């Protein structure tokens, strides 16, 4: 007679007794959700004292444990607020140059897990990234980590110092170059656009096409619509056609608070809107001592004798909440007459006083547009809700 064999139960790892055994089990089963989760919980129960042990394992190139970054993340993500200072200190201790590069790199990466908003930690990582005497891999990791952090205010502006680093050194170290531009792209909207634009100009015209490509991608992450024409006017624009078109697409699809545009950029934006509305020969310029004229254009109207040209002048006011008063509107009407224009358009992001609206209604040669009407017209013309007038932004 043949006896039936009992089915073998699925082998499961024995519960580790020591930290060494726990780390070994994690290296084998840590990525298995069912088996690994209890092991991760046991590791977290060891507390902050395990941080230098994990970093030391990296330093020695421990073959049994390759999940140091995941382990540190697990420990730091749910750290008690009262212990944050101690955890930061343990990591910063491992940044010293007396430690091997591998240990320092893992310590730098760990800062993004629990200290993304900590200005002191950001300052320390930025110092490593900007130090020309530092190891290239350490600097590259620091830049990668800064990209994941959330610097604000003055510290965010200090990221612009990245553009002052030795460009020739960047060309020798492609990963560092990519990390630097990635960091700036991630934080582009936190940076002062004028200073970023000035600092980026040498890269947009650099002899090396790789630097130009990365600079164009950065432009796409922060620039306003007024920068689009500059992109197409770059010396080597044809060689970067696809990258420029990609940057333009990003600029054109990004949500825009009209109040965040510089006055001259707002004027250019209104000019673009007028062009899409069918106005011809729209020109934006500084018409000094000419009644505040910001743009000129014309259109053709069907009259008794056929198509008749109608010249317009435009005035733009990018105000947050200040309403346009009657005196300002009256002055603009006088300018329409003085310029011998047929009609005038007054555009504002705010509103008009009752007197201003009543006066405008009595003028056949004047059209006024308030902020609310402007948003409605933008939706009608561009078929998108990406534009806003947010006074609290």
């Amino acid at each position: 007679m043949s006896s039936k064999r009992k089915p073998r139960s699925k082998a499961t790892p024995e519960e580790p007794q020591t930290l060494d055994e726990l780390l070994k089990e994690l290296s084998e089963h840590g990525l298995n959700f069912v088996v690994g989760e209890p092991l991760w919980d046991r590791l977290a129960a060891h507390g902050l004292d395990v941080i230098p042990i994990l970093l030391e394992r990296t330093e020695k190139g421990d073959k049994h444990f390759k999940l140091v970054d995941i382990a540190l993340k697990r420990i730091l993500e749910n750290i008690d607020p009262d212990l944050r200072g101690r955890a930061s200190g343990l990591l910063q201790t491992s940044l010293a140059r007396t430690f091997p590069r591998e240990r320092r790199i893992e310590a730098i990466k760990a800062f993004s897990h629990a200290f993304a908003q900590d200005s002191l930690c950001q300052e320390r990582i930025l110092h490593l990234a900007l130090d020309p005497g530092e190891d290239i891999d350490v600097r590259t990791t620091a830049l990668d980590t800064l990209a994941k952090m959330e610097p604000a205010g003055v510290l965010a502006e200090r990221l612009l110092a990245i553009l002052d680093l030795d460009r020739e050194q960047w060309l020798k170290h492609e990963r560092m170059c990519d990390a630097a531009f990635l960091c700036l792209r991630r934080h582009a909207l936190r940076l002062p656009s004028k200073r970023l634009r000035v600092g980026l100009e040498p890269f947009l015209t650099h002899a090396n096409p790789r630097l130009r490509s990365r600079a164009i991608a950065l432009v796409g992450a922060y620039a306003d619509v007024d920068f689009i024409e500059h992109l197409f006017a770059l010396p080597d624009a044809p060689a970067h056609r696809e990258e420029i078109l990609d940057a333009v697409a990003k600029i054109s699809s990004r949500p825009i608070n009209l109040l965040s545009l510089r006055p001259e950029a707002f004027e250019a934006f209104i000019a673009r809107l007028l062009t899409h509305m069918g106005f011809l020969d729209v020109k934006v310029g500084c018409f000094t001592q000419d009644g505040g004229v910001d743009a000129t254009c014309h259109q053709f109207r069907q009259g008794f004798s056929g198509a008749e040209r109608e010249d317009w002048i435009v005035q733009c006011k990018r105000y947050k909440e200040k309403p346009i008063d009657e005196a300002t509107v009256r002055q603009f009407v006088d300018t329409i007459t003085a310029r011998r224009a047929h009609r005038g358009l007054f555009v504002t992001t705010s509103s008009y006083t009752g007197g201003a609206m009543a006066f405008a209604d009595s003028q056949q040669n004047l059209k006024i547009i308030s902020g609310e009407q402007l948003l409605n017209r933008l939706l009608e013309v561009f078929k998108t809700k990406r534009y806003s007038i947010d006074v609290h932004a």
Side-chain angles (χ1 to χ4, degrees):
M1 292 180 63
S2 61
S3 60
K4 292 184 178 181
R5 292 184 178 179
K6 293 182 179 180
R8 286 186 179 180
S9 58
K10 194 171 182 179
T12 57
E14 295 182 4
E15 186 172 290
Q17 301 299 316
T18 67
L19 181 58
D20 282 344
E21 292 175 349
L22 176 59
L23 295 179
K24 183 177 180 180
E25 291 295 335
L26 277 170
S27 69
E28 297 175 6
H29 306 288
L31 298 181
N32 182 312
F33 180 80
V34 176
V35 180
E37 283 305 303
L39 297 174
W40 289 117
D41 291 340
R42 290 201 62 192
L43 180 67
H46 279 270
L48 301 184
D49 291 334
V50 80
I51 291 178
I53 298 175
L54 292 172
L55 293 173
E56 185 178 357
R57 295 271 171 154
T58 301
E59 172 189 335
K60 294 180 178 179
D62 194 325
K63 296 180 180 179
H64 297 295
F65 194 59
K66 298 295 183 182
L67 304 176
V68 173
D69 187 51
I70 299 176
L72 290 172
K73 182 178 180 180
R74 291 279 188 147
I75 292 169
L76 295 171
E77 277 184 333
N78 300 312
I79 190 174
D80 189 305
D82 294 335
L83 299 176
R84 287 174 55 83
R86 180 165 175 253
S88 174
L90 289 171
L91 290 175
Q92 292 204 45
T93 297
S94 291
L95 298 181
R97 292 189 185 184
T98 52
F99 290 109
R101 176 180 59 185
E102 292 75 16
R103 176 168 180 164
R104 301 176 70 206
I105 287 175
E106 286 299 333
I108 292 170
K109 290 161 58 177
F111 277 99
S112 65
H113 300 321
F115 306 100
Q117 298 178 338
D118 190 310
S119 59
L120 293 177
C121 293
Q122 294 165 7
E123 186 76 40
R124 184 74 177 90
I125 302 300
L126 179 59
H127 176 76
L128 290 173
L130 298 178
D131 187 351
E134 190 54 85
D135 179 88
I136 289 297
D137 288 336
V138 168
R139 295 177 70 185
T140 300
T141 304
L143 289 165
D144 283 333
T145 302
L146 281 171
K148 300 173 185 176
M149 302 180 94
E150 300 175 30
V154 175
L155 188 59
E157 293 185 18
R158 284 196 59 209
L159 292 177
L160 288 175
I162 293 173
L163 294 175
D164 297 327
L165 297 177
D166 185 356
R167 298 186 194 101
E168 299 311 312
Q169 190 177 47
W170 286 23
L171 293 174
K172 297 177 183 176
H173 305 284
E174 187 170 346
R175 281 190 61 247
M176 180 180 165
C177 177
D178 290 343
F181 276 100
L182 172 63
C183 180
L184 291 172
R185 285 204 307 274
R186 291 278 176 84
H187 302 303
L189 297 180
R190 304 172 190 261
L191 307 176
S193 59
K194 185 175 181 179
R195 287 174 55 194
L196 179 55
R197 180 171 179 168
V198 171
L200 200 56
E201 191 64 31
F203 292 87
L204 289 169
T205 56
H206 197 278
N208 186 279
R210 193 158 59 81
L211 285 185
R212 292 199 303 268
S213 295
R214 280 148 183 78
I216 291 170
L218 178 51
V219 168
Y222 85 92
D224 297 328
V225 290
D226 61 319
F227 203 94
I228 291 178
E229 185 176 350
H230 183 70
L231 279 176
F232 284 108
L234 291 175
D236 293 297
H240 296 279
R241 182 176 181 275
E242 295 301 321
E243 291 136 308
I244 289 175
L245 291 176
D246 184 61
V248 169
K250 285 183 171 63
I251 293 171
S252 302
S253 63
R254 188 164 50 250
I256 291 179
N257 177 11
L258 298 183
L259 295 178
S260 69
L261 299 178
R262 299 183 299 278
E264 63 272 17
F266 179 64
E267 294 166 10
F269 179 81
I270 295 300
R272 176 174 170 237
L273 171 62
L274 293 174
T275 300
H276 280 269
M277 290 172 61
F279 284 87
L280 304 172
D281 196 25
V282 182
K283 294 180 180 179
V284 180
C286 183
F287 303 96
T288 57
Q289 299 179 347
D290 209 356
V293 177
D294 297 313
T296 60
C297 56
H298 70 266
Q299 62 179 356
F300 287 95
R301 292 286 189 182
Q302 197 65 32
F304 289 108
S305 59
E308 299 176 352
R309 174 170 168 148
E310 194 175 70
D311 292 321
W312 287 64
I313 62 172
V314 183
Q315 185 168 144
C316 307
K317 294 294 184 184
R318 185 190 56 84
Y319 288 165
K320 281 192 174 183
E321 297 174 295
K322 177 184 176 182
I324 305 300
D325 59 20
E326 182 180 345
T328 302
V329 176
R330 283 182 177 274
Q331 184 179 11
F332 183 58
V333 170
D334 291 341
T335 303
I336 297 173
T337 302
R339 287 290 300 267
R340 296 183 180 180
H342 295 99
R343 303 198 68 182
L345 175 65
F346 199 115
V347 184
T348 182
T349 50
S350 61
S351 59
Y352 298 88
T353 64
M357 289 189 290
F359 175 74
D361 287 340
S362 69
Q363 304 298 308
Q364 293 185 348
N365 64 343
L366 175 66
K367 172 70 175 177
I368 63 173
I369 297 181
S370 67
E372 182 179 356
Q373 292 170 324
L374 176 59
L375 291 179
N376 290 335
R377 184 55 60 90
L378 289 169
L379 178 60
E380 176 186 330
V381 173
F382 294 120
K383 313 298 182 185
T384 177
K385 294 183 178 180
R386 61 186 291 248
Y387 305 104
S388 67
I389 300 175
D390 187 356
V391 298
H392 302 294

